[in-house]
């Protein structure tokens, strides 16, 4: 059975959940760098990156998992040379080099208000 995962403060403008869980698999939609408390998008890359990773954590936990369950992350950057803030957050969330998810970087449109976004896939051990 498919289950929509929606996190208060992170809801989309459209009638779309933050993620979907089916069995032990979780697939996120776009995870933005908005603040979950004031719903604003910071202008600085470091702040958006910190929010993206915090929002990813909130979504996977709402789905019943943890960062250990994340197996793939797609990072979207408006400027692909601007990875330092993303890498700092990446190392904070996934400190063990022997246990990190796969990652791929893709471009965001130049006119996007976001500097960074992500999507992820997770496999949770315990089935609901």
């Amino acid at each position: 059975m498919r289950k929509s995962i929606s996190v208060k403060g992170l809801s989309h403008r459209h009638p779309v959940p933050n993620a979907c869980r089916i069995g032990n698999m979780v697939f996120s939609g776009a995870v933005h760098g908005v603040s979950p408390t004031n719903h604003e998008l910071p202008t600085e890359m470091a702040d958006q990156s910190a929010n993206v990773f915090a929002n990813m954590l909130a979504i996977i936990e709402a789905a019943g998992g943890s960062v250990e369950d994340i197996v793939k992350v797609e990072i979207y950057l408006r400027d692909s040379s601007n990875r330092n803030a993303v890498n700092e957050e990446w190392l904070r969330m996934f400190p063990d080099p022997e246990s990190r998810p796969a990652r791929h970087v893709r471009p965001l449109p130049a006119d996007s208000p976001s500097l960074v976004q992500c999507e992820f896939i997770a496999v949770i051990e315990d089935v609901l």
Side-chain angles (χ1 to χ4, degrees):
M1 173 189 309
R2 180 176 59 208
K3 180 179 185 337
S4 296
I5 307 299
S6 296
V7 177
K8 185 177 180 177
L10 300 182
S11 60
H12 292 279
R13 293 173 293 166
H14 308 290
V16 178
N18 299 114
C20 179
R21 179 170 174 169
I22 188 159
N24 65 341
M25 304 234 12
V26 178
F27 300 87
S28 81
V31 181
H32 300 275
V34 297
S35 167
T37 54
N38 65 16
H39 311 289
E40 293 180 9
L41 184 66
T43 58
E44 298 296 320
M45 179 64 164
D47 296 330
Q48 284 191 30
S49 293
N51 285 347
V52 163
F53 280 81
N55 295 342
M56 182 169 35
L57 176 62
I59 293 166
I60 190 61
E61 287 178 345
S66 74
V67 296
E68 295 299 317
D69 299 314
I70 297 171
V71 296
K72 173 88 186 268
V73 180
E74 297 272 343
I75 302 286
Y76 296 85
L77 294 173
R78 194 163 70 182
D79 177 0
S80 65
S81 68
N82 194 1
R83 296 179 191 207
N84 290 341
V86 170
N87 287 337
E88 287 178 23
E89 295 299 328
W90 178 266
L91 292 173
R92 222 175 259 120
M93 184 171 276
F94 307 111
D96 182 356
E98 301 299 320
S99 180
R100 289 186 181 134
R103 179 174 115 173
H104 187 71
V105 176
R106 297 180 181 271
L108 274 173
D111 62 347
S112 172
S114 295
L115 301 174
V116 60
Q117 296 176 7
C118 83
E119 295 177 0
F120 69 87
I121 299 170
V123 180
I124 299 174
E125 293 265 342
D126 297 324
V127 178
L128 289 176

